[in-house]
Amino acid sequence: MFVFFSTCTVYLVLFGSTQADENSCGLSITWLETVSVTMDVSKNGFHRDLVTTVDFGPGFPDGLEALLVHRLPSGIYIDQYQLASLKEDTGLQVLLGSAVDLEAPAHTSEEFIVLVYPALEQGSLKATLPIHGRYHKPSLAGKRFELVEIKLPKLILRSDTCTQLISFPPYKIVDAPCTVHNLSICQWLEIQHLQEQDPVSLEIPLGDGSLVEPVCAGTLIVTLLCCVILSRSIWRHGVF
Amino acid sequence: MASIMESVLSKLMNKNVLFTVSFLVRLILVSFGVYQDRTMVVKYTDVDYHVFTDASKFITQGQSPYHRSTYRYTPLLAWILTPNVYLSHVFGKLLFITCDVLSGHLIYLLLRQRGLSCEAACRVCSLWLLNPLPAGVSSRGNAESVLTALVLATLLCLELRQLPMAAILYGLAVHMKIYPVTYALPIALSLQRKENGEEKRVGWWRRALGFLLRLLNKELFLFAGVAGVVFCGLTVLFYNMYGWDFLHETYLYHLTRRDIHHNFSPYFYMLYLTADSPWSLALGLAAFLPQALLLLLVSLAFHTDLALCCFLHTAIFVSFNKVCTSQYFLWYLCLFPLVLPRLTLSPKQGVELLALWFAGQGIWLAPAYYLEFEGYNTFLLIWLAGLIFLIINSFIMVQIVTHYKPPDTMQRLKAE
């Protein structure tokens, strides 16, 4: 451990001073600036896929681990049981910050945090997260859809081979679980310059609150009518 | 070709062949389900089965099954399925398909008890045994067949006047799902002592008193007592083990359920739009009254034929309920084969009504698919489709009631 630390320090001293390029465990600023995160929502309706891709320039450091910290809005939810089954099928690695109510409507739910450990796939890190739309409160103004915005996730990185991260502005150090098994906490470097893309949004259909009176009246009239017709038939043909 | 079909059908209508074939078909479906789950993205097994198995896993670890969110059933089910964890994941499905075939056998016994010949009974109960709906539902891991078996066994024991056994099975059925509690009134009415030809010209209050005295007889007290002990005993046992969670998830959730997600119920859109309004309670009550009135009327009108009464009870309960999913259809479909022999509908009329029932579901499923999987705002269409489905169900029930002939009438007709 001491040998590693001293090697890192030597490395930093030698290369850190010769190149005006601060270095945190093999993560150089020039390389970090090539990192970009894009997010997209695929499929339609209430059940979608949130696809996050991390692209980077050449020179991917060995032993680099990435973690996407999603802050998801109250308008959607994630099914932890579906995640458990996907973990076995496709190897998707996701940690939920807290238990998610699968059935509550949007206005009684809150934002929640999801930690996604993307996998290396064809030269970039990718993760596909299945998300589901919650039912929203009916609109009173004739609005037919609710726009749910999902902000870009924060990307944090750490190195498996070097555990002593040195913070250097503008990047800061944060704590997060080392792996999806959530057995220990590691230090990660947060990449800051990525918040340029606009948030992605998806449309969730809304009930029309302005129709509440005709809907109630129509429902009660039809159910009462069916009740009366059925009662008449039973009264007529019943074996009393 | 036609003669080959005829000979195959007649061989199939042999009791042993029919039951063996229907069990094998279900076994094949279960095996295919295991294969599909392992190889394809879209799973054959229903989500509910995983919920049951997860709950059983908690029990094997000495914890409450209610740690599994969305487990809204009796702990008894999770206890019965603990071999899923100890033996094999497929144990539960094998149990459910066995209960499914057992339900078919109980239908057969009930039909024989009602005077049908062996071949006729086989033909009628093949409507359940060779029906893809119950076969699919139980092979996917839904527990409905356990309940249909309990309800049918209760009816059989009542028909054979084995009251203590009927009461135990009834208590168990009500413990597992609340809806059989609606059968209490028809059962009570069917257990009343027969009138002994009293003078009809008495005042209404004397008739009412006579009715009450005939109703509250020894057999009713025996039935109510045994069923009550079984139900309360199980409730107390599980309350001691799992506390308030058990009461809430197994009973209260279903009684106060305000599911605003789209479903077949005609009340769905009304309840979604008024979910947070002060009218919500009043509307819930307004939705309950037609259901209650019809159930009372059906109990008084048809308690002499308990199978028809329970069938209509459940069909009305499901159709007029505030929440209705396709799983509920099995609750009354299992009783339909018992009703069929006493209907004077022609096969053509029967097929037309069946097609109408499926069309009603199709009319609902189309906009529901576009809402959930394509994101179109089809709420209004789903609402209208729900109302149409209620109208279709009511029409079908009116046809059944109109074309029903009580047994003594049929015997008189045969004698003439």
Side-chain angles (χ1 to χ4, degrees):
Chain A
M1 191 62 217
F2 181 69
V3 175
F4 271 107
F5 184 68
S6 53
T7 319
C8 275
T9 325
V10 167
Y11 185 81
L12 278 167
V13 165
L14 282 178
F15 290 93
S17 55
T18 51
Q19 302 167 10
D21 183 13
E22 287 180 74
N23 196 312
S24 188
C25 276
L27 299 169
S28 68
I29 280 195
T30 36
W31 184 82
L32 286 175
E33 277 172 5
T34 66
V35 174
S36 69
V37 176
T38 47
M39 200 166 67
D40 192 26
V41 175
S42 64
K43 291 192 188 167
N44 297 311
F46 277 80
H47 310 288
R48 312 278 193 122
D49 278 340
L50 190 65
V51 185
T52 321
T53 316
V54 184
D55 290 306
F56 39 81
F60 187 82
D62 287 331
L64 187 73
E65 298 286 337
L67 176 53
L68 293 159
V69 182
H70 282 274
R71 187 175 209 94
L72 294 177
S74 59
I76 58 173
Y77 69 92
I78 294 210
D79 186 346
Q80 60 255 44
Y81 303 104
Q82 181 188 24
L83 290 180
S85 139
L86 277 174
K87 193 173 177 184
E88 286 177 25
D89 290 340
T90 62
L92 178 69
Q93 299 194 325
V94 176
L95 258 185
L96 270 176
S98 55
V100 178
D101 187 333
L102 306 178
E103 293 162 339
H107 59 279
T108 61
S109 310
E110 285 163 2
E111 282 187 336
F112 59 103
I113 303 235
V114 178
L115 303 176
V116 182
Y117 296 81
L120 198 61
E121 206 180 296
Q122 293 169 345
S124 52
L125 292 164
K126 212 170 177 186
T128 306
L129 192 61
I131 56 175
H132 309 275
R134 288 194 191 277
Y135 258 61
H136 284 69
K137 228 175 159 161
S139 85
L140 293 167
K143 199 164 66 150
R144 288 168 63 77
F145 295 93
E146 180 72 38
L147 211 63
V148 176
E149 275 188 0
I150 305 177
K151 294 193 281 269
L152 252 102
K154 284 197 206 135
L155 175 66
I156 60 180
L157 301 170
R158 73 174 177 91
S159 174
D160 237 355
T161 52
C162 161
T163 50
Q164 291 293 332
L165 276 175
I166 297 170
S167 148
F168 51 95
Y171 305 107
K172 61 177 193 223
I173 305 256
V174 294
D175 286 329
C178 302
T179 63
V180 75
H181 305 292
N182 200 6
L183 295 168
S184 53
I185 302 287
C186 289
Q187 290 193 316
W188 299 72
L189 197 68
E190 185 176 318
I191 313 302
Q192 299 288 54
H193 65 267
L194 302 165
Q195 309 301 319
E196 286 136 16
Q197 190 193 343
D198 291 328
V200 294
S201 55
L202 46 109
E203 285 188 327
I204 301 284
L206 282 180
D208 193 346
S210 64
L211 292 177
V212 68
E213 274 123 23
V215 166
C216 288
T219 308
L220 291 174
I221 287 171
V222 171
T223 50
L224 244 113
L225 217 64
C226 289
C227 176
V228 163
I229 292 173
L230 206 46
S231 307
R232 233 177 48 142
S233 186
I234 294 169
W235 183 261
R236 218 182 271 169
H237 295 97
V239 181
F240 288 99
Chain B
M1 188 67 204
S3 59
I4 297 173
M5 283 290 295
E6 266 180 52
S7 72
V8 166
L9 273 170
S10 70
K11 285 207 175 62
L12 198 57
M13 289 308 139
N14 171 295
K15 182 180 144 209
N16 294 326
V17 174
L18 183 63
F19 283 98
T20 312
V21 165
S22 48
F23 187 76
L24 280 174
V25 165
R26 284 158 174 78
L27 209 58
I28 290 170
L29 284 172
V30 169
S31 318
F32 176 73
V34 170
Y35 167 76
Q36 179 171 337
D37 284 355
R38 256 190 228 144
T39 53
M40 301 183 208
V41 177
V42 178
K43 306 290 178 206
Y44 183 82
T45 305
D46 195 66
V47 174
D48 279 350
Y49 192 68
H50 297 300
V51 175
F52 302 152
T53 312
D54 290 344
S56 299
K57 218 177 282 177
F58 279 117
I59 285 192
T60 59
Q61 295 162 357
Q63 294 171 25
S64 161
Y66 299 105
H67 285 158
R68 190 356 170 142
S69 94
T70 74
Y71 182 76
R72 299 210 168 94
Y73 314 92
T74 162
L76 194 60
L77 187 61
W79 275 97
I80 294 171
L81 293 178
T82 43
N84 267 21
V85 183
Y86 292 130
L87 286 179
S88 160
H89 190 69
V90 96
F91 168 81
K93 288 185 187 176
L94 293 175
L95 175 67
F96 297 150
I97 63 173
T98 309
C99 286
D100 201 15
V101 178
L102 177 65
S103 300
H105 186 64
L106 291 165
I107 293 172
Y108 173 82
L109 290 174
L110 271 159
L111 289 169
R112 295 283 279 140
Q113 188 67 19
R114 291 170 151 223
L116 261 74
S117 72
C118 186
E119 211 209 317
C122 277
R123 259 185 282 128
V124 175
C125 72
S126 67
L127 287 176
W128 176 262
L129 290 167
L130 301 178
N131 190 333
L133 188 60
V137 163
S138 48
S139 61
R140 288 187 72 206
N142 288 106
E144 307 300 327
S145 58
V146 176
L147 198 63
T148 60
L150 282 172
V151 165
L152 287 163
T154 307
L155 287 177
L156 183 63
C157 290
L158 281 168
E159 195 100 356
L160 297 172
R161 290 320 247 205
Q162 303 281 340
L163 290 182
M165 195 64 213
I168 292 172
L169 292 164
Y170 183 66
L172 201 52
V174 176
H175 170 81
M176 292 204 80
K177 276 225 158 76
I178 317 172
Y179 83 86
V181 84
T182 64
Y183 300 161
L185 185 56
I187 291 176
L189 290 170
S190 76
L191 289 177
Q192 66 183 309
R193 267 184 290 115
K194 301 284 175 278
E195 275 188 81
N196 48 11
E198 292 156 17
E199 184 61 53
K200 293 279 194 263
R201 287 180 190 278
V202 290
W204 69 268
W205 62 271
R206 278 196 81 157
R207 280 228 300 270
L209 191 64
F211 172 76
L212 213 59
L213 287 174
R214 280 199 309 276
L215 190 64
L216 301 173
N217 62 31
K218 192 179 71 171
E219 288 186 329
L220 178 64
F221 285 131
L222 173 65
F223 186 89
V226 173
V229 161
V230 168
F231 179 76
C232 294
L234 285 168
T235 306
V236 166
L237 171 71
F238 288 123
Y239 182 72
N240 276 335
M241 287 171 79
Y242 303 115
W244 173 251
D245 273 346
F246 154 67
L247 283 179
H248 181 259
E249 301 288 351
T250 312
Y251 300 124
L252 293 174
Y253 167 80
H254 297 283
L255 288 171
T256 60
R257 184 173 180 179
R258 284 276 188 275
D259 202 344
I260 54 168
H261 293 97
H262 52 286
N263 61 87
F264 283 109
S265 168
Y267 298 108
F268 137 70
Y269 200 28
M270 180 180 91
L271 292 174
Y272 170 33
L273 292 180
T274 58
D276 292 320
S277 110
W279 288 100
S280 166
L281 203 60
L283 287 170
L285 200 64
F288 174 68
L289 288 175
Q291 222 177 9
L293 172 71
L294 284 169
L295 292 182
L296 178 65
L297 210 55
V298 166
S299 306
L300 294 171
F302 293 114
H303 60 88
T304 47
D305 183 344
L306 212 49
L308 175 72
C309 198
C310 292
F311 168 76
L312 287 173
H313 251 251
T314 311
I316 287 168
F317 177 82
V318 168
S319 305
F320 285 83
N321 204 28
K322 294 194 265 289
V323 172
C324 176
T325 68
S326 51
Q327 267 172 295
Y328 296 9
F329 299 158
L330 279 181
W331 298 351
Y332 59 83
L333 281 179
C334 67
L335 296 172
F336 185 64
L338 302 174
V339 169
L340 195 58
R342 292 186 183 171
L343 295 180
T344 58
L345 288 166
S346 70
K348 177 169 172 285
Q349 285 172 306
V351 168
E352 280 171 359
L353 288 177
L354 189 67
L356 197 59
W357 189 67
F358 278 116
Q361 288 179 59
I363 293 172
W364 186 91
L365 285 168
Y369 169 81
Y370 277 101
L371 173 74
E372 194 170 340
F373 296 102
E374 298 293 342
Y376 289 94
N377 189 325
T378 53
F379 279 114
L380 217 54
L381 289 174
I382 294 177
W383 171 61
L384 290 170
L387 294 180
I388 291 173
F389 192 49
L390 175 68
I391 293 169
I392 288 176
N393 280 326
S394 305
F395 175 73
I396 293 176
M397 282 191 274
V398 164
Q399 293 302 303
I400 288 175
V401 166
T402 314
H403 289 92
Y404 168 73
K405 281 286 172 292
D408 45 317
T409 322
M410 293 205 87
Q411 279 167 7
R412 250 187 288 126
L413 282 170
K414 281 206 186 106
E416 280 162 16

